[in-house]
Amino acid sequence: MNEAGVRGDAQETASNRAEAAEQLALAKLFETFGASRDVKKNAFIFRSEEESQEIYFVQDGLVKISQFAQEGQSITLFLRHKGEVFGAAEVLTGQKRQRYARCITDSRILSIPAASFIGLLRQHPDALYALTVANARRLLQTQRYVETLVSRPVAWRLAQLLLQLGVRSGKETVVTLPLSHEEISYVIGCSRQTVTETLGRWRDDGIVRYEKKQVVIFDTDAFEARL
Amino acid sequence: MNEAGVRGDAQETASNRAEAAEQLALAKLFETFGASRDVKKNAFIFRSEEESQEIYFVQDGLVKISQFAQEGQSITLFLRHKGEVFGAAEVLTGQKRQRYARCITDSRILSIPAASFIGLLRQHPDALYALTVANARRLLQTQRYVETLVSRPVAWRLAQLLLQLGVRSGKETVVTLPLSHEEISYVIGCSRQTVTETLGRWRDDGIVRYEKKQVVIFDTDAFEARL
DNA sequence: GATATTTTGTCGGGTAGCCGACTGTTTTCT
DNA sequence: AGAAAACAGTCGGCTACCCGACAAAATATC
């Protein structure tokens, strides 16, 4: 399983599976209603303030949902991997886009018109129920993320992100980062320099080795224990 | 309208009304299924780690939903006023309680057993839809709150809270705080001292006057403009 | 109405993380 | 392949905010 579970919303590995299952059921339905298209890296799927006319489903690739904050600063609320839905919240509430969605990598995106989406939910109470559960899960995740922002230091949040993104093999965990330090800083809520510096310190301390986009945690258990 | 909209989740005044309407529709249904009871100030309605066997509706009073963070520290995710539902997320996802709910003031709470709640949603697609929309709204609110935590200083967050809690009359805004400084610090994510000090500075600067639990913002427009 | 408990006010010291700046390295683009 | 852009590394100064600690005021308790 590749799309382990990167999300601004902290932990989750057990319930990822549950969410994936729920969304898979939805996906089947969506495919009959939507149109697929390829979207290039860095392209926007929707922008803040636009009308919310579609919802989306990641068929392949990686998408971030972010907000502009003060002065060009950005905050990434979560990442959406292959098999996940995004953009539904504003459609349901009938608001304009509050956030923007942008591709991290080249992606294949299925889009479903808002009317079809709502009609579909109205006609398939099971789909509606699945969506409600998925949203409840996301709400709890986001709330847990609030907790980490307030009470955990940057190093902890970064560690958590690496562990989620990484694939464990034996003692080691290998993380192939699709994100630059700057992107990471948006996800964990800090400055770019702090990401670079924290990673650098770990390397100097012999906890981690890395070059290019590949980070390897030497002793995963020890790493987790240190948190 | 008194229960304007205090929530850990930042702003919202326009869409509060919409949410209130949605929840009112739900409330009617709930009343036929649930049992009412009086709960004293500071009493817990549910605690972290408990099984999620009921959902709740605030008939009167004020309830906070919080999480324990590191070392006895607490974080209040949001406040629930008269007419609002809480505790549904964990019931929907079938998880244990992630957070705890505690009364800020003496309150009257309607509780609906999980099974009834889910059965009700299954039988009334309209109710399910209303809940989904309400949850989507809350998700967006919480995400906006994340943004403020990362990018706005404590003073801004405190100001925001006061404005939400307050009742405006002319230039002034009168805020009758049901919360101690410590409780406020949990809501806006900072230390108790910082709340006291910020409020004190505003008073010294002649922006605000207060005694006991009553805070008065002299010139609301100027106050908002300063943010 | 006296006592205990909670809340508020205030102070100083400590620090995590921000911010600007600049350099070198990678990646992208044509 | 070479130029331009994006990214990573590093440094020093700065400050918002935390954390104890303690006294005074307010509130709750009996």
Side-chain angles (χ1 to χ4, degrees):
Chain A
M1 184 174 285
N2 195 6
E3 63 281 10
V6 202
R7 31 183 59 99
D9 317 340
Q11 49 273 64
E12 285 323 282
T13 23
S15 67
N16 267 1
R17 234 173 286 277
E19 181 169 352
E22 285 150 13
Q23 305 215 344
L24 194 67
L26 284 175
K28 292 244 174 183
L29 270 172
F30 289 161
E31 275 166 15
T32 64
F33 281 92
S36 233
R37 81 192 135 106
D38 289 314
V39 186
K40 280 273 160 80
K41 177 175 173 177
N42 286 333
F44 286 88
I45 297 171
F46 59 77
R47 294 165 195 265
S48 198
E49 297 299 313
E50 285 180 2
E51 292 299 326
S52 310
Q53 294 170 329
E54 297 174 316
I55 70 133
Y56 305 90
F57 177 79
V58 183
Q59 292 184 307
D60 204 8
L62 183 60
V63 177
K64 65 169 179 172
I65 283 75
S66 314
Q67 272 188 353
F68 288 117
Q70 295 297 81
E71 311 186 11
Q73 272 281 48
S74 217
I75 291 164
T76 295
L77 297 162
F78 43 78
L79 304 177
R80 288 285 174 248
H81 296 257
K82 184 175 173 177
E84 298 185 310
V85 172
F86 66 93
E90 294 109 329
V91 167
L92 283 167
T93 62
Q95 294 172 287
K96 287 185 178 175
R97 293 293 176 196
Q98 314 273 300
R99 318 155 296 174
Y100 67 87
R102 198 172 186 188
C103 288
I104 305 261
T105 61
D106 290 352
S107 304
R108 185 158 187 80
I109 304 296
L110 180 72
S111 49
I112 298 98
S116 307
F117 173 62
I118 290 177
L120 188 153
L121 292 178
R122 288 290 193 184
Q123 290 184 330
H124 299 266
D126 282 347
L128 178 57
Y129 190 80
L131 180 77
T132 307
V133 172
N135 267 357
R137 199 182 307 284
R138 283 183 180 175
L139 185 59
L140 290 173
Q141 273 174 20
T142 306
Q143 289 174 359
R144 223 168 305 126
Y145 181 50
V146 166
E147 187 252 331
T148 73
L149 274 181
V150 174
S151 72
R152 307 285 186 156
V154 167
W156 191 92
R157 287 179 255 154
L158 179 56
Q160 219 57 33
L161 180 65
L162 290 186
L163 289 170
Q164 285 160 34
L165 278 170
V167 175
R168 181 158 180 173
S169 64
K171 280 172 94 77
E172 293 193 340
T173 294
V174 181
V175 191
T176 307
L177 286 173
L179 307 167
S180 68
H181 291 186
E182 189 172 25
E183 291 286 1
I184 292 175
S185 77
Y186 295 155
V187 174
I188 65 177
C190 69
S191 71
R192 189 226 94 216
Q193 292 95 320
T194 306
V195 173
T196 305
E197 196 243 314
T198 305
L199 236 29
R201 185 151 29 80
W202 284 343
R203 184 179 47 189
D204 296 347
D205 293 355
I207 294 171
V208 136
R209 135 174 69 91
Y210 69 92
E211 65 254 346
K212 316 247 175 150
K213 295 283 178 197
Q214 184 113 315
V215 182
V216 180
I217 301 165
F218 287 124
D219 185 340
T220 309
D221 294 326
F223 186 74
E224 282 175 335
R226 266 178 18 103
L227 294 182
Chain B
M1 184 173 282
N2 196 4
E3 64 279 9
V6 201
R7 30 185 61 99
D9 319 338
Q11 50 272 69
E12 286 322 282
T13 24
S15 68
N16 267 0
R17 233 173 287 277
E19 180 169 352
E22 285 150 12
Q23 305 214 345
L24 193 66
L26 284 174
K28 292 244 172 180
L29 269 173
F30 290 162
E31 275 167 14
T32 63
F33 282 92
S36 234
R37 81 194 135 103
D38 288 314
V39 186
K40 280 275 159 82
K41 176 176 174 177
N42 286 333
F44 286 87
I45 297 169
F46 58 78
R47 293 165 196 265
S48 197
E49 299 297 313
E50 286 180 2
E51 292 298 327
S52 309
Q53 295 171 327
E54 296 174 317
I55 71 132
Y56 305 90
F57 178 80
V58 184
Q59 293 185 307
D60 203 10
L62 183 60
V63 177
K64 65 169 179 173
I65 283 75
S66 316
Q67 272 188 354
F68 288 118
Q70 295 298 80
E71 311 188 10
Q73 272 281 47
S74 218
I75 291 164
T76 295
L77 297 163
F78 43 78
L79 305 177
R80 287 285 174 248
H81 295 257
K82 183 175 172 178
E84 298 185 310
V85 172
F86 65 93
E90 294 108 329
V91 167
L92 283 167
T93 62
Q95 295 171 288
K96 287 184 178 176
R97 293 293 177 197
Q98 314 272 300
R99 317 153 298 174
Y100 67 87
R102 199 172 185 187
C103 288
I104 304 261
T105 62
D106 291 351
S107 305
R108 185 157 187 83
I109 304 296
L110 180 71
S111 48
I112 297 100
S116 307
F117 173 62
I118 291 177
L120 187 154
L121 293 178
R122 288 289 193 186
Q123 291 184 328
H124 300 267
D126 283 347
L128 178 57
Y129 190 79
L131 180 77
T132 307
V133 172
N135 267 359
R137 199 181 307 284
R138 283 182 180 176
L139 185 57
L140 289 173
Q141 273 175 20
T142 306
Q143 289 173 358
R144 223 168 304 126
Y145 181 50
V146 166
E147 187 253 329
T148 73
L149 274 181
V150 174
S151 72
R152 308 284 186 155
V154 167
W156 191 93
R157 287 178 255 155
L158 178 56
Q160 218 57 33
L161 180 65
L162 290 186
L163 289 171
Q164 286 160 34
L165 278 171
V167 176
R168 182 158 179 173
S169 63
K171 281 171 93 75
E172 294 192 340
T173 295
V174 180
V175 191
T176 306
L177 285 173
L179 307 166
S180 67
H181 291 185
E182 189 171 25
E183 291 285 1
I184 292 174
S185 77
Y186 295 156
V187 175
I188 65 178
C190 69
S191 72
R192 189 226 95 214
Q193 292 95 320
T194 306
V195 173
T196 305
E197 195 244 316
T198 306
L199 236 29
R201 185 151 28 80
W202 284 344
R203 183 179 46 188
D204 296 347
D205 292 355
I207 293 170
V208 135
R209 134 176 70 89
Y210 70 91
E211 65 253 345
K212 316 248 175 148
K213 295 283 177 197
Q214 185 113 314
V215 183
V216 180
I217 301 165
F218 286 124
D219 184 340
T220 309
D221 294 326
F223 186 74
E224 281 175 335
R226 266 179 17 104
L227 294 183

